Amino acid sequence: MEVQLVSGLAVLKLVIQILLVILSFLLTLLILMHKGKGGGLSDMFGGGLTQNAGSSGVAEKNLNRWTVIIALLWVALIITLDLFMKFNIGG
């Protein structure tokens, strides 16, 4: 029975690691989609081209909400993986 529990926790740890990679890419994309506040890196990567598309207040608020939600999930997964490693759970 213990062998099944350990392998189940190993699978859970693997799933969390995969989710962390996906959320990392998604968070990076969401951050790059934000409208630049002026002459920074966002303009260098094409932020100036999306000036008209990003002028909607509702779209910017939704982008902010999604960025915060994904960032909080990302932090929660980092803490969970840290606890897995600290207590040597999941192999």
Side-chain angles (χ1 to χ4, degrees), residues 71-86:
L72 290 174
L73 286 172
W74 187 83
V75 168
L77 288 177
I78 290 288
I79 292 171
T80 303
L81 279 177
D82 182 49
L83 291 173
F84 270 56
M85 290 175 61
K86 181 178 182 180

PDB file of all heavy atoms in Angstrom, residues 71-86:
ATOM      1  N   ALA A  71      -0.355  34.794 -11.457  1.00  0.00           N
ATOM      2  CA  ALA A  71       0.810  35.000 -10.587  1.00  0.00           C
ATOM      3  C   ALA A  71       0.590  34.369  -9.212  1.00  0.00           C
ATOM      4  O   ALA A  71       1.509  33.753  -8.650  1.00  0.00           O
ATOM      5  CB  ALA A  71       1.105  36.489 -10.453  1.00  0.00           C
ATOM      6  N   LEU A  72      -0.617  34.495  -8.656  1.00  0.00           N
ATOM      7  CA  LEU A  72      -0.903  33.888  -7.359  1.00  0.00           C
ATOM      8  C   LEU A  72      -0.870  32.359  -7.438  1.00  0.00           C
ATOM      9  O   LEU A  72      -0.340  31.700  -6.529  1.00  0.00           O
ATOM     10  CB  LEU A  72      -2.256  34.372  -6.837  1.00  0.00           C
ATOM     11  CG  LEU A  72      -2.315  35.842  -6.403  1.00  0.00           C
ATOM     12  CD1 LEU A  72      -3.740  36.235  -6.040  1.00  0.00           C
ATOM     13  CD2 LEU A  72      -1.367  36.102  -5.245  1.00  0.00           C
ATOM     14  N   LEU A  73      -1.409  31.799  -8.518  1.00  0.00           N
ATOM     15  CA  LEU A  73      -1.331  30.350  -8.711  1.00  0.00           C
ATOM     16  C   LEU A  73       0.121  29.890  -8.848  1.00  0.00           C
ATOM     17  O   LEU A  73       0.516  28.859  -8.299  1.00  0.00           O
ATOM     18  CB  LEU A  73      -2.123  29.936  -9.951  1.00  0.00           C
ATOM     19  CG  LEU A  73      -3.637  29.947  -9.824  1.00  0.00           C
ATOM     20  CD1 LEU A  73      -4.275  29.709 -11.193  1.00  0.00           C
ATOM     21  CD2 LEU A  73      -4.089  28.887  -8.842  1.00  0.00           C
ATOM     22  N   TRP A  74       0.913  30.681  -9.560  1.00  0.00           N
ATOM     23  CA  TRP A  74       2.327  30.363  -9.753  1.00  0.00           C
ATOM     24  C   TRP A  74       3.068  30.331  -8.413  1.00  0.00           C
ATOM     25  O   TRP A  74       3.824  29.406  -8.128  1.00  0.00           O
ATOM     26  CB  TRP A  74       2.935  31.396 -10.701  1.00  0.00           C
ATOM     27  CG  TRP A  74       4.324  31.123 -11.133  1.00  0.00           C
ATOM     28  CD1 TRP A  74       4.732  30.307 -12.132  1.00  0.00           C
ATOM     29  CD2 TRP A  74       5.522  31.700 -10.576  1.00  0.00           C
ATOM     30  NE1 TRP A  74       6.107  30.340 -12.233  1.00  0.00           N
ATOM     31  CE2 TRP A  74       6.602  31.181 -11.294  1.00  0.00           C
ATOM     32  CE3 TRP A  74       5.756  32.604  -9.549  1.00  0.00           C
ATOM     33  CZ2 TRP A  74       7.912  31.531 -11.008  1.00  0.00           C
ATOM     34  CZ3 TRP A  74       7.064  32.956  -9.253  1.00  0.00           C
ATOM     35  CH2 TRP A  74       8.127  32.418  -9.990  1.00  0.00           C
ATOM     36  N   VAL A  75       2.805  31.339  -7.574  1.00  0.00           N
ATOM     37  CA  VAL A  75       3.448  31.392  -6.254  1.00  0.00           C
ATOM     38  C   VAL A  75       3.001  30.213  -5.395  1.00  0.00           C
ATOM     39  O   VAL A  75       3.818  29.590  -4.707  1.00  0.00           O
ATOM     40  CB  VAL A  75       3.145  32.744  -5.560  1.00  0.00           C
ATOM     41  CG1 VAL A  75       3.551  32.721  -4.098  1.00  0.00           C
ATOM     42  CG2 VAL A  75       3.845  33.879  -6.283  1.00  0.00           C
ATOM     43  N   ALA A  76       1.707  29.879  -5.447  1.00  0.00           N
ATOM     44  CA  ALA A  76       1.206  28.744  -4.669  1.00  0.00           C
ATOM     45  C   ALA A  76       1.872  27.439  -5.104  1.00  0.00           C
ATOM     46  O   ALA A  76       2.220  26.600  -4.256  1.00  0.00           O
ATOM     47  CB  ALA A  76      -0.311  28.649  -4.810  1.00  0.00           C
ATOM     48  N   LEU A  77       2.071  27.260  -6.402  1.00  0.00           N
ATOM     49  CA  LEU A  77       2.740  26.054  -6.887  1.00  0.00           C
ATOM     50  C   LEU A  77       4.208  26.008  -6.479  1.00  0.00           C
ATOM     51  O   LEU A  77       4.728  24.938  -6.144  1.00  0.00           O
ATOM     52  CB  LEU A  77       2.610  25.934  -8.401  1.00  0.00           C
ATOM     53  CG  LEU A  77       1.228  25.565  -8.925  1.00  0.00           C
ATOM     54  CD1 LEU A  77       1.225  25.543 -10.446  1.00  0.00           C
ATOM     55  CD2 LEU A  77       0.772  24.235  -8.377  1.00  0.00           C
ATOM     56  N   ILE A  78       4.862  27.162  -6.485  1.00  0.00           N
ATOM     57  CA  ILE A  78       6.264  27.226  -6.041  1.00  0.00           C
ATOM     58  C   ILE A  78       6.367  26.815  -4.569  1.00  0.00           C
ATOM     59  O   ILE A  78       7.241  26.029  -4.190  1.00  0.00           O
ATOM     60  CB  ILE A  78       6.837  28.653  -6.246  1.00  0.00           C
ATOM     61  CG1 ILE A  78       7.003  28.959  -7.719  1.00  0.00           C
ATOM     62  CG2 ILE A  78       8.157  28.837  -5.501  1.00  0.00           C
ATOM     63  CD1 ILE A  78       8.119  28.219  -8.391  1.00  0.00           C
ATOM     64  N   ILE A  79       5.460  27.337  -3.735  1.00  0.00           N
ATOM     65  CA  ILE A  79       5.473  26.993  -2.310  1.00  0.00           C
ATOM     66  C   ILE A  79       5.174  25.509  -2.120  1.00  0.00           C
ATOM     67  O   ILE A  79       5.810  24.832  -1.307  1.00  0.00           O
ATOM     68  CB  ILE A  79       4.477  27.881  -1.539  1.00  0.00           C
ATOM     69  CG1 ILE A  79       4.977  29.325  -1.533  1.00  0.00           C
ATOM     70  CG2 ILE A  79       4.270  27.377  -0.117  1.00  0.00           C
ATOM     71  CD1 ILE A  79       3.987  30.336  -0.997  1.00  0.00           C
ATOM     72  N   THR A  80       4.220  24.978  -2.875  1.00  0.00           N
ATOM     73  CA  THR A  80       3.884  23.556  -2.775  1.00  0.00           C
ATOM     74  C   THR A  80       5.072  22.681  -3.154  1.00  0.00           C
ATOM     75  O   THR A  80       5.385  21.707  -2.444  1.00  0.00           O
ATOM     76  CB  THR A  80       2.684  23.230  -3.688  1.00  0.00           C
ATOM     77  OG1 THR A  80       1.584  24.066  -3.332  1.00  0.00           O
ATOM     78  CG2 THR A  80       2.287  21.777  -3.577  1.00  0.00           C
ATOM     79  N   LEU A  81       5.757  23.019  -4.243  1.00  0.00           N
ATOM     80  CA  LEU A  81       6.938  22.232  -4.632  1.00  0.00           C
ATOM     81  C   LEU A  81       8.054  22.343  -3.599  1.00  0.00           C
ATOM     82  O   LEU A  81       8.779  21.376  -3.343  1.00  0.00           O
ATOM     83  CB  LEU A  81       7.439  22.678  -6.006  1.00  0.00           C
ATOM     84  CG  LEU A  81       6.692  22.098  -7.201  1.00  0.00           C
ATOM     85  CD1 LEU A  81       7.227  22.670  -8.492  1.00  0.00           C
ATOM     86  CD2 LEU A  81       6.785  20.593  -7.214  1.00  0.00           C
ATOM     87  N   ASP A  82       8.178  23.514  -2.984  1.00  0.00           N
ATOM     88  CA  ASP A  82       9.189  23.688  -1.942  1.00  0.00           C
ATOM     89  C   ASP A  82       8.883  22.784  -0.746  1.00  0.00           C
ATOM     90  O   ASP A  82       9.793  22.167  -0.188  1.00  0.00           O
ATOM     91  CB  ASP A  82       9.249  25.145  -1.504  1.00  0.00           C
ATOM     92  CG  ASP A  82      10.314  25.374  -0.454  1.00  0.00           C
ATOM     93  OD1 ASP A  82      11.452  24.927  -0.664  1.00  0.00           O
ATOM     94  OD2 ASP A  82      10.001  25.989   0.593  1.00  0.00           O
ATOM     95  N   LEU A  83       7.615  22.686  -0.381  1.00  0.00           N
ATOM     96  CA  LEU A  83       7.242  21.801   0.722  1.00  0.00           C
ATOM     97  C   LEU A  83       7.469  20.340   0.349  1.00  0.00           C
ATOM     98  O   LEU A  83       7.887  19.531   1.193  1.00  0.00           O
ATOM     99  CB  LEU A  83       5.785  22.036   1.116  1.00  0.00           C
ATOM    100  CG  LEU A  83       5.502  23.376   1.784  1.00  0.00           C
ATOM    101  CD1 LEU A  83       4.014  23.572   1.983  1.00  0.00           C
ATOM    102  CD2 LEU A  83       6.254  23.496   3.100  1.00  0.00           C
ATOM    103  N   PHE A  84       7.209  19.979  -0.892  1.00  0.00           N
ATOM    104  CA  PHE A  84       7.488  18.614  -1.353  1.00  0.00           C
ATOM    105  C   PHE A  84       8.962  18.300  -1.195  1.00  0.00           C
ATOM    106  O   PHE A  84       9.333  17.213  -0.760  1.00  0.00           O
ATOM    107  CB  PHE A  84       7.077  18.448  -2.823  1.00  0.00           C
ATOM    108  CG  PHE A  84       5.670  17.992  -3.026  1.00  0.00           C
ATOM    109  CD1 PHE A  84       4.588  18.679  -2.499  1.00  0.00           C
ATOM    110  CD2 PHE A  84       5.405  16.859  -3.783  1.00  0.00           C
ATOM    111  CE1 PHE A  84       3.303  18.261  -2.690  1.00  0.00           C
ATOM    112  CE2 PHE A  84       4.104  16.423  -4.006  1.00  0.00           C
ATOM    113  CZ  PHE A  84       3.047  17.123  -3.440  1.00  0.00           C
ATOM    114  N   MET A  85       9.815  19.247  -1.576  1.00  0.00           N
ATOM    115  CA  MET A  85      11.258  19.015  -1.485  1.00  0.00           C
ATOM    116  C   MET A  85      11.739  19.029  -0.035  1.00  0.00           C
ATOM    117  O   MET A  85      12.600  18.241   0.350  1.00  0.00           O
ATOM    118  CB  MET A  85      12.007  20.068  -2.312  1.00  0.00           C
ATOM    119  CG  MET A  85      11.810  19.882  -3.802  1.00  0.00           C
ATOM    120  SD  MET A  85      12.546  21.174  -4.793  1.00  0.00           S
ATOM    121  CE  MET A  85      14.256  21.025  -4.385  1.00  0.00           C
ATOM    122  N   LYS A  86      11.182  19.919   0.786  1.00  0.00           N
ATOM    123  CA  LYS A  86      11.612  20.025   2.189  1.00  0.00           C
ATOM    124  C   LYS A  86      11.319  18.742   2.961  1.00  0.00           C
ATOM    125  O   LYS A  86      12.144  18.299   3.757  1.00  0.00           O
ATOM    126  CB  LYS A  86      10.910  21.213   2.837  1.00  0.00           C
ATOM    127  CG  LYS A  86      11.305  21.425   4.280  1.00  0.00           C
ATOM    128  CD  LYS A  86      10.626  22.648   4.859  1.00  0.00           C
ATOM    129  CE  LYS A  86      11.068  22.863   6.283  1.00  0.00           C
ATOM    130  NZ  LYS A  86      10.436  24.036   6.877  1.00  0.00           N
TER     131      LYS A  86
END
